[in-house]
Amino acid sequence: MDIVGNVLPQVLKDEATEDKGEMARLQSFVGAIAVADLVKTTLGPKGMDKILKPTGPGQEMTHITVTNDGATILKSMYVENPAAKILIEISKTQDEEVGDGTTTVAVLAGELLREGEKLIQKRIHPQHVIAGWRIARDVALKTLRDISSENDIESQEFHNDLIKIARTTLSSKLITSDRDYFADLCVKAVLRLKGSSNLDYIQIIKLPGGTIRDSYLDDGFILKKQITIGCKRRIENAKILVANTAMDYDKIKIYGTKVKVNSMDKVAEIEAAEKEKMKHKVDKILKFQPTVFVNRQLIYNYPEQLLADSGVTVIEHADFEGMERVAAATGAEILSTFDAPERRDQVLGHCDLIEEIMIGEEKMIKFTGCKKNEACTIVLRGSSIHILDEVDRSIHDVLCVLITTVKNRRVVWGGGNSEMQMAAACEEEAKKVQGKQALAIEAYARALRQIPTIICDNGGYDSAELIQNFKVELQKGNLSSGLNMNDGTVGDMKELGIKECMRVKEQAVMAASEAAELIMRVDDIVKCAPRKRERA
Amino acid sequence: MSLAFDDYGRPYIILRDQGQKKRMKGLEAYKSNILAAKAVANTLSSSLGPKGMDKMLVSPDGDVSVTNDGATIVEKMEIQHPTAKLLVELSQSQDAEIGDGTTGVVVLAGKLLEQALTLLDKGIHPLKISDGFDRACDVAIKHLETISEEIDIQANEHEALIQAACTALGSKVVSKRKRELGKIAVTAVLDVADLARRDVNLDLIKIQTKTGGSVEDTRLISGILIDKDMSHPQMPKEVKEAKICLLTCPFEPPKPKTKHNINISSAEDYKKLYLQEQQYFVDMVKLVKDSGANIALCQWGFDDEANHLLLQNELPAVRWVSGTDVELIAMATGARIIPRFQEITPEKLGKAGSVKEVQFGTSNERMLVIENCQCTKAVTILIRGGSQMIVDEAKRSIHDAICVIRNLIKDNRIVYGGGSAELACAIQVLQYADEVSSVEQYAIRSFADALEGIPCCLADNCGLNPITSVAQAKARQLQESNPRIGIDCMELGTTDMKEQRIYETLSSKKQQIQLATQVVKMILKIDDVIAPDDY
């Protein structure tokens, strides 16, 4: 009923709700801040992990995930609140775009909104807050670009930078104690790609057993398959034919064909023809004179035997990604027709040695000395599959960051240095701005400073004191100072060798500001009635 | 439901299932309808203007979208009330016809209905009200035309167009980059515009979205971007001086539409069929290759064997290109769409400077860019942004801006925004009201009040005192007889909208007033609502 006492007609559908003004804003702030608070504790080298337990019936119940990767946590959460969904969305985008900083982006957006809420309580219009944030964001990004440094891609310094960045990224992960080892491993893997950014060429194989330390980077390329029984287990100077073709039986692809026979003899004839067709195909393959034949699809016993008889080693049923990697590594072409044996030099891949190896309990095929040495394999060992999964995610993060760095080449000091400098620049800017926007710019600076504060808090240190000291250090002109999370002091990042990729920070600041702005602008939430689903 | 009884006390049953239906009539029906429509208008009114707020909409499946675009909001609100639905359609027809001003039209209709409600309370007959509104609308439209100005769209590197685009983008989340985006939109429209005929085919502007980066990474590609990659991983990633063969037939053995059966009854047949099948692929690839094409784009799929043959013949190919993309590519590159392999001739190939694969982010997503097309008649705007919601909203905003520019190319008359045009019309309508000697006078006066509601709403959204600022603006308009005085939403220190360069198209304003009046007239004509009771 409205104030006059008229009964308002129902405009929206049943169960649909509409929240306006303060209520809508409250709802989005609460949701967004709750999500940010949830992942906040995973931030920094002393951050904690989360256990994700799937709901629903069946075996999945028992399969839990232990992680501190922001994107993984947020992706697996089921949230109802629309503002929270926006935060999850930016975290996912961050993961796709640069691969790391997924927690930072959600926390930063959350902290921005927390500050925004305070401003709104002071009766400042959201549009003024946004106007201030926009100024602050531009200042922050400019500062970030100014403080970053660039090294030549071939130089030793750049190589050192990469190792430092990898170490920094790893320091917040489970494998922090072995970070030197893994940093080196990841940098080597990325440098093999020679500037290409295709992560597919780095394969990660996870095998439970042993300790994390037993993980290693293999120069060659490992395929998680077995060589078919009856073939040679070790081939030197292999000529590899990579194919994607049916090797069970060739069904006729012409539409509408049907086999209709009227006697048993005919059946036998057709069978023979079928067999002959397969033989014919095998003969054609043999004309390429390969020593190894890798096929994506199944290979039936008959052609397998034919190939084995001719001394060709057969690997069947390789997955598509594996195939692409084999092709890339050995320089082979993926074949589906076999009518041009004269092109054999072009289409066959080559590698010095193919052998079956044992890692732990499992047999694998290893290709060493490949023609194009781009692909490589990281073999991860660890005591349980949960640990391996988490290590895998960490390594993936590191590889993504490294590749982004190779592309962008700009680096900044870590340990909260860049956030503090951006915050300082924003505060400086706020002094020059007239009007209410200045308050929002200050708020932006406070939100940025929350990131190192949270890192301190997570480490159990006195954040208020540390951050103040840190501020003073920067003011003194020690532009490379940062948080030393091992001792709980403010240290020199140059000595500690803590560096971060500029692009990751840049993307985090951009995405967080955009999301916070988006949520801030909302003054009305309309929820449609949930779609009725048949419960299975 | 009111019932009538016959002499024996039995009710007359007139409607089917009369007992389960609810009936509202007379004043009750008018008021209920108006209140429902007003509820929708109220929701939208806070989105009006450069300081308007956004709405967050949660779909039945839980997907979130945040938008400021009137048509999108009302569409996604899932409105059930029949009268309120009329407003949804109102907004959508404005969107279809003009593309911009979808919020304004609903807000205006809401203000008109508000006025109608007080008139009804005074006891004025609804038809008199709607007559009055109609006459007032005519006056307002005429006045709009007299105050409109023609602008030179060519002058100063299309500055006027950019300004108009900026006005359209000013109220959106992307307003931070409105100038850059405005420029992109103007360039895009001018690239495809047929200035001689004053027409723009908006199908030629493809808007492709990709999350990641930031809104300022949005760029214009003078060519076509398609979300596909080469069919075989080992095909070259870039083709220079591309000769494009555009196919709408699959690289597969033919499938005749007539139902047929091929019976294999002997081993010979079996072998023959096998050979024939192989031959199909060889022939197909050969036909394409012989025409001189160096890249094939196909609307359908490829068989594995055909795919490899293409690679072997060094003929890069793309499969599953969507139908609209095929048409766009055909227009841009001058290619003819070829439905059968037998019909491939060198003349039918399209030409482009380069076709290359570009990669985004770490997740290995690739897209194909066709650049420097023979006849650059199609362009793509690639929108980037921090999340899906921002990208979607940016897409809607750019669409609005493009529509505004198209309207200006069609008709280069503008009026000034910031509520100034509405105020000027209101003044004119008010003067006219005094000349009318019948009951309609009241309705006409109310129409003027409703028009004033728009600048009022604008001022309200910007945190200004609505009554004072509208009164001031009105007084100045009268004193200086300057129809360009409006509300200073951006606090730039001047209320002259010509100085603020807030341009709106005349066609959009005209359409807004006409459509809103029409809908209000329609709502005012309903005096009886019969509906199922559970409603």
Side-chain angles (χ1 to χ4, degrees):
Chain A
M1 277 204 265
D2 66 0
I3 357 163
V4 202
N6 291 326
V7 179
L8 275 180
Q10 188 185 2
V11 177
L12 298 172
K13 271 194 183 163
D14 295 345
E15 289 180 62
T17 56
E18 185 177 3
D19 287 309
K20 290 191 175 194
E22 288 302 305
M23 280 311 291
R25 223 166 267 137
L26 187 74
Q27 205 184 343
S28 28
F29 287 145
V30 167
I33 293 172
V35 167
D37 281 349
L38 190 110
V39 288
K40 181 161 115 170
T41 52
T42 63
L43 205 65
K46 297 280 163 83
M48 305 299 277
D49 290 3
K50 305 256 177 264
I51 287 187
L52 305 170
K53 187 165 167 261
T55 52
Q59 288 224 307
E60 295 86 42
M61 274 293 267
T62 52
H63 184 83
I64 57 160
T65 316
V66 183
T67 182
N68 84 359
D69 181 48
T72 313
I73 299 172
L74 292 174
K75 253 188 269 180
S76 351
M77 270 192 335
Y78 181 78
V79 294
E80 187 100 28
N81 189 295
K85 277 192 186 146
I86 293 183
L87 250 60
I88 293 175
E89 189 67 32
I90 55 167
S91 185
K92 267 193 229 166
T93 313
Q94 176 88 5
D95 194 28
E96 281 165 21
E97 186 72 13
V98 287
D100 191 36
T102 51
T103 314
T104 317
V105 69
V107 171
L108 186 56
E111 290 302 330
L112 275 173
L113 287 170
R114 198 195 300 276
E115 293 292 336
E117 191 181 12
K118 283 183 208 155
L119 291 177
I120 290 201
Q121 277 166 4
K122 285 184 197 159
R123 300 271 165 240
I124 294 177
H125 193 272
Q127 291 285 5
H128 284 295
V129 179
I130 290 170
W133 282 355
R134 285 181 177 175
I135 300 172
R137 188 195 87 132
D138 289 345
V139 172
L141 285 180
K142 190 176 168 295
T143 317
L144 188 64
R145 278 171 204 146
D146 287 347
I147 60 171
S148 64
S149 58
E150 190 175 358
N151 276 322
D152 188 54
I153 194 150
E154 296 293 335
S155 66
Q156 188 59 37
E157 287 90 59
F158 186 68
H159 189 203
N160 289 345
D161 275 356
L162 283 182
I163 291 198
K164 282 174 189 160
I165 289 171
R167 276 170 43 108
T168 313
T169 312
L170 282 170
S171 63
S172 61
K173 313 283 180 192
L174 189 70
I175 42 178
T176 171
S177 51
D178 296 312
R179 61 172 182 259
D180 291 331
Y181 181 74
F182 279 103
D184 193 46
L185 191 146
C186 292
V187 171
K188 271 188 190 146
V190 168
L191 286 179
R192 283 174 76 103
L193 293 179
K194 299 189 188 84
S196 136
S197 54
N198 197 342
L199 264 186
D200 281 349
Y201 289 153
I202 301 177
Q203 194 188 13
I204 298 181
I205 289 181
K206 294 176 278 187
L207 279 174
T211 65
I212 293 178
R213 266 281 178 177
D214 294 334
S215 308
Y216 62 95
L217 174 77
D218 207 302
D219 286 346
F221 166 78
I222 295 175
L223 194 66
K224 219 172 162 181
K225 282 279 165 283
Q226 288 182 26
I227 294 177
T228 315
I229 301 156
C231 298
K232 272 200 280 182
R233 292 273 175 269
R234 183 184 160 88
I235 303 112
E236 276 172 45
N237 261 333
K239 300 239 179 297
I240 306 157
L241 189 107
V242 184
N244 174 14
T245 185
M247 287 301 270
D248 33 11
Y249 73 101
D250 257 338
K251 65 171 185 288
I252 301 167
K253 289 167 183 164
I254 294 171
Y255 185 69
T257 42
K258 228 186 206 170
V259 180
K260 228 180 201 172
V261 285
N262 40 21
S263 73
M264 283 307 282
D265 294 351
K266 294 275 185 185
V267 177
E269 263 176 47
I270 299 257
E271 207 187 333
E274 213 171 58
K275 224 171 179 178
E276 200 183 324
K277 189 170 151 190
M278 196 36 78
K279 173 98 169 55
H280 187 61
K281 197 168 190 176
V282 172
D283 284 345
K284 277 203 272 184
I285 292 170
L286 286 175
K287 278 213 188 105
F288 284 86
Q289 297 164 337
T291 45
V292 179
F293 178 71
V294 185
N295 191 18
R296 184 167 93 87
Q297 301 174 24
L298 271 178
I299 305 178
Y300 268 19
N301 287 354
Y302 177 64
E304 189 180 290
Q305 176 212 332
L306 285 177
L307 287 165
D309 283 350
S310 327
V312 177
T313 303
V314 182
I315 302 165
E316 64 165 343
H317 211 200
D319 55 316
F320 202 81
E321 271 176 38
M323 276 244 310
E324 275 189 33
R325 285 202 196 102
V326 173
T330 61
E333 204 171 274
I334 301 174
L335 297 183
S336 292
T337 56
F338 309 95
D339 292 320
E342 66 280 0
R343 291 177 69 243
R344 62 179 294 262
D345 290 336
Q346 269 170 280
V347 299
L348 290 191
H350 174 267
C351 81
D352 293 342
L353 178 68
I354 296 180
E355 60 183 335
E356 201 171 62
I357 51 164
M358 296 273 286
I359 306 174
E361 290 296 305
E362 275 198 65
K363 283 183 195 160
M364 312 240 170
I365 306 164
K366 182 174 164 187
F367 298 72
T368 19
C370 300
K371 192 150 87 182
K372 285 186 191 155
N373 228 346
E374 280 177 4
C376 58
T377 307
I378 296 174
V379 179
L380 295 180
R381 307 299 314 272
S383 49
S384 83
I385 193 74
H386 298 134
I387 292 179
L388 284 176
D389 283 345
E390 176 63 0
V391 174
D392 178 18
R393 277 189 291 271
S394 313
I395 297 278
H396 175 259
D397 277 7
V398 176
L399 292 176
C400 286
V401 172
L402 289 177
I403 280 182
T404 316
T405 319
V406 170
K407 265 199 263 178
N408 183 276
R409 283 192 275 160
R410 294 200 150 271
V411 291
V412 290
W413 298 112
N417 177 293
S418 53
E419 284 90 355
M420 292 294 279
Q421 293 215 38
M422 282 192 273
C426 287
E427 272 174 358
E428 208 48 48
E429 182 70 22
K431 290 175 190 161
K432 296 179 213 155
V433 174
Q434 282 195 333
K436 291 177 253 190
Q437 287 94 316
L439 287 175
I441 301 177
E442 280 168 15
Y444 196 95
R446 276 198 298 279
L448 278 172
R449 205 164 273 144
Q450 276 298 311
I451 300 275
T453 312
I454 293 169
I455 294 179
C456 283
D457 282 340
N458 286 347
Y461 300 120
D462 183 352
S463 61
E465 177 155 336
L466 262 180
I467 295 298
Q468 180 55 31
N469 294 349
F470 190 176
K471 250 190 200 166
V472 173
E473 282 297 317
L474 284 177
Q475 193 66 36
K476 276 189 207 157
N478 297 333
L479 292 182
S480 60
S481 52
L483 296 172
N484 180 344
M485 286 304 288
N486 292 329
D487 310 334
T489 53
V490 178
D492 189 355
M493 291 296 115
K494 209 180 269 174
E495 281 164 28
L496 291 167
I498 297 177
K499 282 196 173 185
E500 280 176 295
C501 170
M502 195 275 279
R503 180 79 187 91
V504 174
K505 293 271 172 221
E506 193 184 23
Q507 176 70 26
V509 171
M510 286 199 290
S513 315
E514 270 178 12
E517 192 179 309
L518 197 68
I519 295 172
M520 200 63 167
R521 282 175 65 100
V522 170
D523 75 335
D524 194 317
I525 300 178
V526 180
K527 275 194 201 144
C528 295
R531 199 184 295 285
K532 296 268 182 298
R533 284 205 182 77
E534 296 291 319
R535 293 253 168 211
Chain B
M1 179 70 73
S2 52
L3 287 177
F5 299 92
D6 65 7
D7 295 346
Y8 302 99
R10 286 177 306 205
Y12 284 112
I13 305 284
I14 301 162
L15 300 166
R16 202 168 71 172
D17 299 331
Q18 189 161 313
Q20 278 120 52
K21 285 197 175 147
K22 201 173 68 174
R23 183 172 175 196
M24 270 191 300
K25 44 180 190 177
L27 214 52
E28 191 196 355
Y30 289 122
K31 285 196 174 164
S32 158
N33 286 339
I34 289 177
L35 281 174
K38 254 181 66 189
V40 178
N42 275 347
T43 301
L44 284 194
S45 66
S46 66
S47 285
L48 194 72
K51 296 272 172 87
M53 307 294 280
D54 289 2
K55 307 278 171 267
M56 193 181 259
L57 301 153
V58 185
S59 82
D61 298 319
D63 298 328
V64 181
S65 49
V66 177
T67 181
N68 178 291
D69 180 53
T72 316
I73 298 172
V74 287
E75 186 197 328
K76 295 202 171 169
M77 267 170 85
E78 288 210 334
I79 287 167
Q80 192 183 32
H81 196 282
T83 335
K85 266 190 189 156
L86 285 177
L87 287 201
V88 177
E89 274 161 34
L90 166 71
S91 186
Q92 278 166 352
S93 58
Q94 172 85 10
D95 194 31
E97 188 67 23
I98 303 290
D100 184 39
T102 51
T103 314
V105 68
V106 176
V107 175
L108 183 59
K111 296 282 174 200
L112 282 172
L113 286 169
E114 205 173 299
Q115 295 295 334
L117 200 61
T118 47
L119 291 176
L120 282 172
D121 282 344
K122 280 185 188 157
I124 299 176
H125 191 274
L127 281 184
K128 289 281 178 201
I129 301 175
S130 82
D131 274 354
F133 280 0
D134 216 10
R135 286 162 76 172
C137 174
D138 288 342
V139 174
I141 299 288
K142 258 192 217 117
H143 189 62
L144 267 185
E145 287 188 11
T146 54
I147 62 167
S148 68
E149 287 177 25
E150 279 197 20
I151 50 159
D152 183 1
I153 54 170
Q154 304 283 353
N156 201 0
E157 292 177 13
H158 308 286
E159 183 58 31
L161 290 183
I162 297 177
Q163 283 302 334
C166 287
T167 309
L169 291 170
S171 61
K172 314 287 182 188
V173 71
V174 293
S175 60
K176 171 174 55 179
R177 301 288 155 204
K178 63 180 175 193
R179 181 133 191 107
E180 288 88 336
L181 294 179
K183 261 188 196 156
I184 287 177
V186 170
T187 327
V189 174
L190 287 175
D191 275 353
V192 302
D194 186 346
L195 287 177
R197 273 178 51 229
R198 293 194 145 202
D199 195 16
V200 185
N201 182 359
L202 288 188
D203 289 343
L204 291 174
I205 302 176
K206 190 179 175 194
I207 303 182
Q208 181 80 43
T209 60
K210 179 84 191 71
T211 53
S214 166
V215 175
E216 51 248 57
D217 298 330
T218 300
R219 59 195 178 104
L220 181 74
I221 296 162
S222 60
I224 300 160
L225 191 75
I226 46 176
D227 197 357
K228 288 279 171 299
D229 54 3
M230 297 291 182
S231 61
H232 195 288
Q234 286 162 332
M235 282 178 181
K237 304 289 178 226
E238 184 171 3
V239 180
K240 287 240 165 78
E241 299 299 317
K243 295 204 187 78
I244 300 168
C245 179
L246 212 52
L247 294 164
T248 51
C249 43
F251 274 93
E252 275 164 17
K255 284 182 188 164
K257 298 227 167 58
T258 334
K259 215 173 167 192
H260 68 288
N261 265 327
I262 303 170
N263 284 339
I264 301 171
S265 49
S266 72
E268 266 80 68
D269 287 355
Y270 184 85
K271 280 179 201 159
K272 242 195 257 164
L273 211 57
Y274 173 67
L275 287 176
Q276 195 181 355
E277 184 188 293
Q278 298 284 307
Q279 200 54 42
Y280 269 131
F281 295 127
V282 176
D283 287 349
M284 282 175 192
V285 176
K286 192 170 174 322
L287 280 168
V288 179
K289 189 77 188 167
D290 284 353
S291 69
N294 54 11
I295 181 161
L297 303 182
C298 182
Q299 200 181 349
W300 301 98
F302 299 169
D303 191 87
D304 278 345
E305 289 181 38
N307 201 1
H308 172 251
L309 277 174
L310 285 167
L311 173 73
Q312 193 177 322
N313 285 298
E314 287 163 5
L315 195 67
V318 185
R319 57 184 151 186
W320 299 120
V321 180
S322 75
T324 44
D325 283 345
V326 166
E327 279 171 28
L328 256 181
I329 295 166
M331 279 190 269
T333 62
R336 297 271 295 279
I337 299 172
I338 305 166
R340 263 186 292 272
F341 285 100
Q342 286 72 23
E343 288 168 19
I344 301 175
T345 55
E347 304 84 64
K348 288 184 180 168
L349 300 181
K351 291 190 185 68
S354 77
V355 179
K356 64 176 175 205
E357 248 184 44
V358 284
Q359 196 185 4
F360 296 100
T362 59
S363 56
N364 254 325
E365 283 181 66
R366 300 189 191 94
M367 289 191 188
L368 274 182
V369 189
I370 305 175
E371 275 177 326
N372 296 330
C373 303
Q374 194 180 22
C375 13
T376 318
K377 272 241 124 193
V379 291
T380 310
I381 299 176
L382 175 66
I383 299 178
R384 311 292 318 269
S387 68
Q388 193 58 46
M389 292 100 186
I390 290 176
V391 171
D392 287 346
E393 175 66 356
K395 184 177 178 180
R396 284 189 287 267
S397 311
I398 288 196
H399 174 258
D400 279 9
I402 287 174
C403 287
V404 168
I405 300 162
R406 178 200 55 184
N407 294 340
L408 273 181
I409 289 177
K410 274 188 178 165
D411 178 355
N412 64 350
R413 283 176 298 173
I414 54 145
V415 290
Y416 292 94
S420 64
E422 283 88 354
L423 261 183
C425 288
I427 294 169
Q428 193 66 26
V429 171
L430 219 49
Q431 276 175 8
Y432 171 72
D434 296 338
E435 297 161 17
V436 179
S437 57
S438 57
V439 188
E440 281 95 340
Q441 195 192 60
Y442 285 91
I444 296 171
R445 208 169 275 144
S446 302
F447 191 90
D449 286 345
L451 279 176
E452 266 175 36
I454 297 279
C456 229
C457 187
L458 267 179
D460 204 9
N461 287 347
C462 301
L464 302 167
N465 185 335
I467 298 169
T468 350
S469 42
V470 172
Q472 274 169 3
K474 205 167 148 189
R476 279 193 61 194
Q477 279 213 6
L478 278 169
Q479 277 161 18
E480 300 166 26
S481 60
N482 177 358
R484 298 183 301 270
I485 304 291
I487 306 292
D488 179 18
C489 297
M490 301 308 286
E491 290 167 41
L492 296 177
T494 168
T495 48
D496 191 331
M497 291 300 130
K498 195 170 187 175
E499 282 170 38
Q500 285 211 11
R501 308 222 271 183
I502 309 291
Y503 297 165
E504 285 186 61
T505 56
L506 172 67
S507 48
S508 163
K509 267 278 130 60
K510 253 165 75 178
Q511 187 85 10
Q512 275 188 5
I513 297 181
Q514 278 169 338
L515 282 177
T517 316
Q518 267 175 30
V519 164
V520 170
K521 272 168 63 189
M522 195 197 280
I523 294 176
L524 283 175
K525 278 202 148 188
I526 307 167
D527 75 335
D528 204 331
V529 180
I530 300 170
D533 200 18
D534 57 334
Y535 187 69

